[in-house]
Amino acid sequence: MHGDGRLTQVLDPDDKGQDECGVFGVWAPGEDVAHLTYFGLYALQHRGQESAGIATSNGEQILVYKDMGLVSQVFNEDHLRPLTGHIAVGHVRYATTGKSAWTNAQPTLGPTPFGTIALGHNGNLVNTQALMGLVREKSGEDLTGELGRGSSTDTAVMTALLGCSDEDQSLEEAAMRVLPQLKGAFSLAFMDEHTLYAARDPYGFRPLVLGRLSSGWVVASETAALDIVGASFIREIEPGELLIIDESGMRSRRFADATPRGCIFEYVYLARPDTTIAGRNVNAARNEMGRVLAREHPVEADIVIATPDSGTPAAIGYAQESGIPYAQGLVKNAYVGRTFIQPTQTMRQLGIRLKLNPLREVIAGKRIVVVDDSIVRGNTQRALVRMLREAGAAEIHIRISSPPVVWPCYFGIDFATRAELIASGLSIDQIRQSIGADSLGFMSEEGMIASTTRPESTLCTACFSGKYPMPVDHTRVAAGLDPAPEDS
Ligand code: SF4
């Protein structure tokens, strides 16, 4: 979970569910794999802004460089130059388990009987304590690797488990034995000195794709990261699949049957619009969500504006379907990321303006439809409505291109505890009053699912529907606690 909630709220004012990581891996002899990974991580920056790291191998030795901050803050040419070799794994992190600290930055390093492992993880395990028990059974109290250095993440436990095997002949064999023991969401890129691996949990909660370079292979959380390094999209890594890439080529092994439940929130908010997941372009899905929203919640208004950037495709869809002109009503400062500088008290009261500022000339005197992709705590929308009224809006109609978020996520998205979710305790009209809008409309679950063009049976919709793909301890959920369910 994040450290200073107050700072987070001010500097990350969209108070949306935060994804907790992006992974990137490359196997390409003759290429500058550190630079490729750097640019791959740049394309995945939206998936995590707390820390960034790259590990490379030259076939004999793994080097890693990681630190807190954005990719552009962590790396410069001097940091990348020593990262030589033909294999690399990179990672950007948003903390959901383990605090935001250097010790928890990834790739995670660990010793194995066959060399060293460097691992990057996107997702969230739900049986970490049980896995930690397995590590202690093997290693006793004498913890090595990142656990020994004080890391507290599910990723460090997973890395230790892959490394503490005494019955396997290779990291590949260790992975085939350990991966079926992991429960929850995991899209992994990892490597030893000789081989790049990628694996995706049997539900395929988080995306993970395979791409081809003329001289090798790339794996990445999103297709947009393939585009930026000039790799062609080959296919998704299948749920329950382990890929092994080395000098003899690419091999696939299955460690579990696939029961796909891709996260629908990737389409709603998390993924980049220029990414394609399971054959559906994210921008097209969001555009369709806006069209459906316009049919489900029409209103008389003068302009449609978006909460930039993630609300933009849905706002365009709403405008197209309703015939109400689309306008840019808010300007976003694209360079406000996480920072370690505390804002002043006065700035804290201004809150959202660090990131969004209204265009008064567009707003004043108008009846405005504001399209946003989701409401989690409601803080953004409350501040936004106040800001638009101050800018002279005549009416403010909020339209949300997803249903109310009423359940926590255990699979890699940090929403909030159930008690913090505004929709878990209030009716739609109470939410409208709480944020101060003239009207409020949420998209239906059916409309959201249809917009992805995927069958409902292949999607996770749990944060909206409460239908978790795996058993969850509902008593604890209902009590407003959100510890990960153990070994469910
Ligand atoms: S609970 Fe929601 S955010 Fe979490 S994986 Fe399922 S759909 Fe995605």
Side-chain angles (χ1 to χ4, degrees):
M1 297 291 158
H2 14 237
D4 186 332
R6 189 183 48 187
L7 183 63
T8 300
Q9 187 175 322
V10 174
L11 293 180
D12 189 20
D14 38 6
D15 80 291
K16 297 292 170 56
Q18 296 296 328
D19 203 352
E20 75 25 307
C21 306
V23 297
F24 188 89
V26 54
W27 192 94
E31 292 281 350
D32 185 338
V33 291
H35 276 77
L36 284 178
T37 307
Y38 172 84
F39 288 111
L41 294 182
Y42 229 100
L44 298 172
Q45 185 74 84
H46 60 290
R47 299 186 73 87
Q49 291 116 43
E50 290 186 357
S51 64
I54 298 175
T56 58
S57 170
N58 58 11
E60 292 175 358
Q61 186 189 33
I62 290 181
L63 282 181
V64 65
Y65 186 86
K66 55 187 178 179
D67 209 343
M68 305 302 291
L70 300 170
V71 176
S72 59
Q73 294 168 321
V74 170
F75 291 101
N76 60 31
E77 288 289 350
D78 290 339
H79 302 133
L80 292 175
R81 202 171 300 115
L83 294 173
T84 57
H86 62 286
I87 316 175
V89 165
H91 191 267
V92 285
R93 176 166 193 257
Y94 179 86
T96 56
T97 74
K99 62 181 189 290
S100 176
W102 189 89
T103 42
N104 291 335
Q106 298 183 30
T108 310
L109 276 188
T112 75
F114 350 96
T116 306
I117 177 174
L119 181 145
H121 171 210
N122 173 207
N124 199 31
L125 298 186
V126 300
N127 65 334
T128 308
Q129 283 177 32
L131 297 173
M132 189 65 209
L134 295 176
V135 173
R136 287 205 183 276
E137 258 174 43
K138 296 266 184 194
S139 315
E141 292 307 306
D142 190 19
L143 296 174
T144 56
E146 309 266 349
L147 287 179
R149 288 192 283 277
S151 178
S152 54
T153 64
D154 52 356
T155 311
V157 173
M158 186 189 313
T159 309
L161 202 55
L162 284 163
C164 65
S165 158
D166 45 18
E167 54 212 86
D168 303 306
Q169 300 304 311
S170 66
L171 185 54
E172 178 179 337
E173 290 313 314
M176 287 301 289
R177 192 177 49 76
V178 167
L179 293 176
Q181 298 176 316
L182 310 180
K183 291 193 167 57
F186 55 92
S187 282
L188 307 177
F190 58 106
M191 66 186 205
D192 58 19
E193 284 82 350
H194 312 286
T195 309
L196 174 68
Y197 301 88
R200 200 169 171 208
D201 68 75
Y203 295 96
F205 285 106
R206 302 282 141 236
L208 191 63
V209 293
L210 173 68
R212 191 80 165 103
L213 290 166
S214 56
S215 55
W217 300 91
V218 175
V219 296
S221 291
E222 296 189 27
T223 58
L226 302 183
D227 298 338
I228 202 173
V229 298
S232 52
F233 171 75
I234 300 295
R235 66 175 175 86
E236 304 224 338
I237 290 154
E238 295 289 321
E241 182 182 24
L242 170 70
L243 280 188
I244 305 112
I245 300 170
D246 59 19
E247 67 277 350
S248 47
M250 192 266 291
R251 288 178 294 122
S252 164
R253 294 183 71 178
R254 185 155 281 291
F255 64 86
D257 290 337
T259 47
R261 295 286 188 281
C263 169
I264 201 165
F265 214 71
E266 295 277 353
Y267 294 98
V268 169
Y269 167 70
L270 296 169
R272 282 171 58 131
D274 51 346
T275 278
T276 294
I277 304 172
R280 178 60 160 162
N281 169 254
V282 170
N283 185 68
R286 288 180 190 161
N287 203 257
E288 180 61 18
M289 287 170 189
R291 291 175 172 279
V292 174
L293 189 59
R295 291 197 291 274
E296 291 183 344
H297 296 283
V299 64
E300 284 206 9
D302 302 311
I303 53 170
V304 177
I305 70 168
T307 306
D309 290 320
S310 52
T312 304
I316 291 170
Y318 193 103
Q320 287 167 339
E321 186 71 17
S322 65
I324 302 169
Y326 173 79
Q328 186 185 5
L330 295 161
V331 174
K332 179 182 178 181
N333 182 349
Y335 303 98
V336 175
R338 274 164 200 281
T339 162
F340 302 102
I341 310 296
Q342 273 282 22
T344 66
Q345 180 60 30
T346 318
M347 286 173 71
R348 208 174 283 141
Q349 281 157 4
L350 289 174
I352 195 169
R353 290 197 193 183
L354 275 170
K355 197 160 186 180
L356 294 176
N357 208 19
L359 276 166
R360 284 175 183 75
E361 294 70 17
V362 175
I363 301 295
K366 302 274 181 23
R367 299 171 299 170
I368 298 169
V369 179
V370 185
V371 179
D372 203 349
D373 53 79
S374 54
I375 293 188
V376 177
R377 294 177 181 83
N379 298 330
T380 304
Q381 289 77 14
R382 194 175 300 111
L384 191 61
V385 169
R386 196 171 56 230
M387 197 164 74
L388 292 171
R389 289 216 192 280
E390 282 168 15
E395 292 174 18
I396 301 166
H397 304 278
I398 305 283
R399 295 293 179 271
I400 306 295
S401 59
S402 63
V405 175
V406 281
W407 298 93
C409 174
Y410 298 115
F411 313 118
I413 307 303
D414 177 19
F415 281 130
T417 61
R418 193 153 189 236
E420 289 172 306
L421 295 170
I422 190 168
S424 77
L426 301 180
S427 68
I428 306 283
D429 195 55
Q430 287 170 324
I431 300 170
R432 181 195 64 72
Q433 285 177 32
S434 165
I435 63 177
D438 294 294
S439 76
L440 170 65
F442 286 91
M443 187 163 154
S444 68
E445 204 181 310
E446 306 73 52
M448 174 181 65
I449 291 166
S451 302
T452 69
T453 65
R454 287 177 63 172
E456 182 177 359
S457 60
T458 68
L459 290 162
C460 175
T461 59
C463 50
F464 303 109
S465 64
K467 293 179 208 157
Y468 288 89
M470 62 176 70
V472 164
D473 186 340
H474 282 286
T475 351
R476 293 167 75 151
V477 175
L481 304 167
D482 71 337
E486 267 313 301
D487 212 8
S488 47

